[in-house]
Amino acid sequence: MAAVPRLVFSAPSSGHGTNALSVGLLAALADRGLDVAGFKVGPDHVDAAYLGLAAGRPGRNLDPRLIGADRLAPLFAHGAQGAALALVQGTMGLYDSVAGRPEAESTAAVATVLRSPVVLVIDVAAMGQSVAALVHGFRSYDEQLWLGGVILTQVASGRHESMLREALDDVGMPVYGALRRHELPPVLPARRHGVVPVLGRDAEASRAVRRLGEAVAGTVDLERLLALARSAPALSVPAWSPATGTPVGETPVVALAGGPGGSYGHPETAELLRAAGAQVVTVDPLRDEALPAGTRALVVGGALPESYARDLSANRRLCIAVAELARTGRPVLAEGTGLLWLARELDGLPMCGVLDAIGVSRDGLVVGYREATAQSDSVVAGTGATVVGYKQHGAVLTPRSGQRAAWSWEGGTPEGFVWRGVHASQLGLHWAAYPEIATRLVTAAALPSPVEGVAAPA
């Protein structure tokens, strides 16, 4: 039984200030000395990273599509262990789902699985008494949902706030805070920087989180919110564990791309690798000029931003070291921009040259989930294995796949590269759903080098 005080923050749609409020609440409570934990519904690494920065422990993604609904509560219990408050930040609108499966994949569905009260964040800049009708509709739409109250943003004045509170009182909806238009400043670093400011522990990111914490502490009733969170019942599920079996006998060094503040993958990736017997050492592809001593495998998660292509290219010494690691047949797993980093070049900039492919940035993004089938045996999966992953990228590679493709899916041509110990694809996986990947990788890393004295590909 996991007795974790918890809240889900959501909104009628995107753009109401949920992210800033979630980060600010965690920062405000952490500043009071409370142990807090942050979670993000869906695949967004960036929001999860800032929640983690505010909380002082890894921010985690709860994505029903990527991990399966049966793992939601166990992963939550694992990430929230010991927390005085666990905050789950929703995605899009409360009842929305990218894939059109709101009954299983929306924020409301996650809140129901977690038996958590929901606080609805509402931008009321162009709204008066109608806020009561909006809230009544959201509360009535799903009888299983526990809508515990609201926080109002973009309030124009004291008179406006009084009008809103009176209307909401008429429908019995508690108001936990009302923020004026200037009280929730857009201070977080631009999203084009992705998770880099968090992983690099940049001063700008820390200042932004602190400012949001101060804004929330001055405008939101923290004690009443904590009381609501503590009213959530215990979860009758065991916490997820990264232990999947007996670790391999040897302890190979696995380099995990990231920075002082974490990795470019989900926190569970590092936990699974350690449980499988690896010594996990961070390597920063933007700053470190060499792989960690004794590296036997490299993992590059999908949160590495494409906007840092110039920095990746400029780090020539590390590019050469990565190419040598791949040449000798060591496991190299790369997702998202990691695939572009392994290519010959990206937008005319030289990359690692592991793969004979050229990347080009284009306008717009390719975004969405894919139900993929492995096309080649690799350290990730055997031929024919099926997974669910997520893609979000602007740049594309030519060719799209190598002689041995990584994945295929309905309506698309084969994608990704499998070469020696390399598995590179723009499809990102959540390893908690496929813990065998860590075991396969650590087992392969512990073996003697399979290739010696062979030239790297052009």
Side-chain angles (χ1 to χ4, degrees), residues 176 222-232:
Y176 292 99
L222 300 182
E223 293 304 325
R224 287 177 65 213
L225 272 181
L226 283 170
L228 177 63
R230 290 167 182 153
S231 70

Side-chain angles (χ1 to χ4, degrees), residues 1-2 70-78 81 235-241:
M1 298 282 284
D70 58 330
R71 291 187 184 89
L72 281 174
L75 273 173
F76 171 83
H78 168 70
Q81 288 178 352
L235 288 173
S236 56
V237 297
W240 176 82
S241 170

